[in-house]
């Protein structure tokens, strides 16, 4: 597991975008795993800039999103489908039919989850998965205690997650109490994983995930057992880490990635 500590949120976004752009250039028909939330917005803006100014080509790219709220449709402004369309897909040349987001309004939600797992397998698995992290250490909507081998399924959201995500809704009571989410097991099968985090509100979850024991109580700590995971975080999110980690410049000088 690699940890890159960036100077700020802007640099975090650029470093993560450069990793994704590099993988897309190397494999134009790559299968991306994508995430929502406030954290990836600037990274998606950078990918849009690369598309417009540098010709980064998404025409053959396939994507699968991590999760979706249960009970709301893709047209709902707080749905993750709407988020992806407005923050990324509408601004790049990706074929919308190659973009997959779980259907929160599916009549049979359990069947929707099974179909999603099958579609990921049929696509050859996820080449590179983007993750954010919840303040309680969750990844996607795998709340503390989610089994490490869990698959895409219906999940109950914790009070903390509902409160954390209330900022996107008019009222906390509007936040759905359940979601459809890839499981920890689904995520761990991605060939490469990049977790991004900024803000001091993530510092506690990151210190437990990176330097604490591997435990289902902190789902992001499970990533310690993944062969190709990079945490790209900023100095605010890194305040509780005890060990020293690389800066983007140090990584670049070794031929890794990234910041110009
Ligand atoms: C939600 C999403 C997660 C995301 C988390 C953090 O719970 N399901 O995938 O990582 O929010 O969001 P933010 O980036 O807004 O802090």
């Amino acid at each position: 597991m690699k940890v890159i500590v960036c100077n700020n949120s802007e640099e975090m976004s650029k470093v993560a975008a450069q990793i994704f752009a590099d993988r897309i250039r190397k494999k134009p028909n790559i299968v991306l795993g994508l995430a929502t939330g406030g954290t990836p917005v600037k990274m998606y803006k950078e990918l849009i800039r690369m598309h417009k100014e540098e010709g980064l080509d998404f025409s053959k790219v396939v994507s699968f999103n991590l999760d979706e709220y249960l009970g709301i449709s893709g047209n709902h402004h707080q749905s993750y489908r709407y988020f992806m369309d407005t923050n990324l897909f509408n601004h790049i040349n990706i074929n919308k039919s190659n973009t997959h987001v779980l259907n929160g309004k599916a009549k049979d939600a359990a069947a929707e989850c099974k179909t999603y797992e099958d579609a990921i397998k049929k696509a050859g698995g996820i080449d590179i998965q983007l993750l954010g992290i919840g303040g309680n250490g969750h990844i996607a909507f795998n709340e503390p205690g989610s089994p490490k081998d869990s698959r895409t399924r219906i999940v109950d959201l914790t009070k903390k997650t509902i409160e954390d995500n209330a900022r996107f809704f008019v009222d906390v009571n509007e936040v759905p109490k359940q979601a459809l989410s890839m499981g920890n097991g689904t995520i761990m099968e991605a060939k490469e994983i990049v977790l991004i985090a900024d803000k001091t509100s993530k510092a506690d979850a990151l210190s437990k995930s990176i330097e604490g024991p591997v435990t289902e109580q902190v789902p992001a700590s499970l990533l310690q057992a993944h062969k190709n995971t990079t945490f790209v975080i900023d100095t605010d999110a890194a305040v509780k880490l005890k060990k020293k980690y690389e800066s983007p410049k140090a990584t670049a000088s070794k031929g890794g990635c990234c910041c110009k």
Side-chain angles (χ1 to χ4, degrees), residues 36-40 66-67 80 132-134 138 140-141 161 165 167-168 202:
T36 54
T39 316
L66 285 167
D67 45 15
Y80 286 168
I133 184 169
H138 76 226
F141 272 131
T161 297
N165 287 330
R167 67 190 192 279
F168 298 112
K202 302 292 172 66

Side-chain angles (χ1 to χ4, degrees), residues 131-203:
L131 295 177
I133 184 169
N136 60 5
H138 76 226
I139 46 176
F141 272 131
N142 293 289
E143 298 284 28
S146 297
K148 63 174 193 293
D149 56 358
S150 50
R151 313 300 310 184
T152 305
R153 68 205 185 290
I154 304 166
V155 292
D156 295 329
L157 304 183
T158 61
K159 193 164 168 275
K160 165 128 183 78
T161 297
I162 291 168
E163 285 167 4
D164 283 355
N165 287 330
R167 67 190 192 279
F168 298 112
F169 292 80
V170 179
D171 189 82
V172 68
N173 297 314
E174 275 189 22
V175 186
K177 310 280 179 290
Q178 288 187 305
L180 306 180
S181 176
M182 276 189 203
N184 289 322
T186 322
I187 292 168
M188 289 294 280
E189 278 171 15
K191 292 164 196 119
E192 180 173 6
I193 297 176
V194 174
L195 185 147
I196 55 173
D198 53 10
K199 300 195 177 64
T200 48
S201 58
K202 302 292 172 66

Side-chain angles (χ1 to χ4, degrees), residues 39-203:
T39 316
V41 171
K42 285 195 288 268
M43 171 189 163
Y44 290 156
K45 280 208 172 85
E46 177 64 7
L47 286 174
I48 294 166
R49 188 199 64 73
M50 288 171 163
H51 166 66
K52 294 199 165 137
E53 292 176 14
E54 298 168 14
L56 183 62
D57 181 17
F58 291 84
S59 61
K60 296 193 181 74
V61 169
V62 174
S63 74
F64 288 89
N65 260 78
L66 285 167
D67 45 15
E68 179 60 283
Y69 289 114
L70 185 63
I72 63 177
S73 81
N75 298 323
H76 190 292
H77 284 203
Q78 307 316 331
S79 74
Y80 286 168
R81 159 55 74 182
Y82 187 86
F83 174 99
M84 289 310 301
D85 285 349
T86 51
N87 283 290
L88 183 63
F89 299 152
N90 289 350
H91 310 286
I92 56 176
N93 66 334
I94 199 163
N95 181 344
K96 281 272 182 87
S97 62
N98 286 342
T99 68
H100 303 86
V101 183
L102 284 149
N103 177 6
K105 272 284 200 192
K107 278 205 185 88
D108 184 342
E112 168 72 7
C113 294
K114 165 91 178 64
T115 306
Y116 205 69
E117 285 277 337
D118 292 345
I120 294 171
K121 279 201 189 89
K122 208 172 150 205
I126 290 169
D127 290 303
I128 179 165
Q129 175 69 57
L130 178 69
L131 295 177
I133 184 169
N136 60 5
H138 76 226
I139 46 176
F141 272 131
N142 293 289
E143 298 284 28
S146 297
K148 63 174 193 293
D149 56 358
S150 50
R151 313 300 310 184
T152 305
R153 68 205 185 290
I154 304 166
V155 292
D156 295 329
L157 304 183
T158 61
K159 193 164 168 275
K160 165 128 183 78
T161 297
I162 291 168
E163 285 167 4
D164 283 355
N165 287 330
R167 67 190 192 279
F168 298 112
F169 292 80
V170 179
D171 189 82
V172 68
N173 297 314
E174 275 189 22
V175 186
K177 310 280 179 290
Q178 288 187 305
L180 306 180
S181 176
M182 276 189 203
N184 289 322
T186 322
I187 292 168
M188 289 294 280
E189 278 171 15
K191 292 164 196 119
E192 180 173 6
I193 297 176
V194 174
L195 185 147
I196 55 173
D198 53 10
K199 300 195 177 64
T200 48
S201 58
K202 302 292 172 66

